[in-house]
Amino acid sequence: MEKSEIETIYRKYFHDVFLYIRALSENESLAEEITQETFFRALKDIRHFKGGCSVTSWLCQIAKNLYMDQLRR
């Protein structure tokens, strides 16, 4: 995946993922941290995305899992 593609995905989906996690956590700084980690993990594991759902759904699921991990700590 090229740098321009990564930047496009980040710009296109960052706001949606951030708003989703902010709504779950009610904490803006935590939402920003989790959103950043979401994109790091997604880009690291992009080969696992099979296209069975939308990119937004996939990213939000990663974000939700990270948030749940945070709650367990």
Side-chain angles (χ1 to χ4, degrees):
M1 182 172 281
E2 293 183 27
K3 184 178 178 182
S4 63
E5 292 173 307
I6 293 168
E7 290 172 353
T8 299
I9 290 170
Y10 184 81
R11 279 195 304 273
K12 185 172 183 179
Y13 298 106
F14 179 89
H15 192 69
D16 291 336
V17 174
F18 173 77
L19 290 177
Y20 174 67
I21 293 301
R22 190 178 72 181
L24 284 178
S25 69
E26 299 179 349
N27 182 320
E28 194 159 324
S29 63
L30 179 61
E32 189 169 319
E33 181 181 322
I34 288 174
T35 302
Q36 293 288 342
E37 181 66 20
T38 296
F39 281 90
F40 174 76
R41 296 242 179 129
L43 294 173
K44 186 177 89 172
D45 295 328
I46 192 77
R47 68 188 178 282
H48 296 297
F49 179 66
K50 305 293 185 210
C53 62
S54 70
V55 174
T56 304
S57 295
W58 181 61
L59 291 169
C60 285
Q61 186 61 50
I62 294 170
K64 180 181 171 189
N65 290 341
L66 288 168
Y67 175 63
M68 297 307 284
D69 288 346
Q70 181 73 26
L71 289 179
R72 286 194 264 297
R73 288 185 206 149

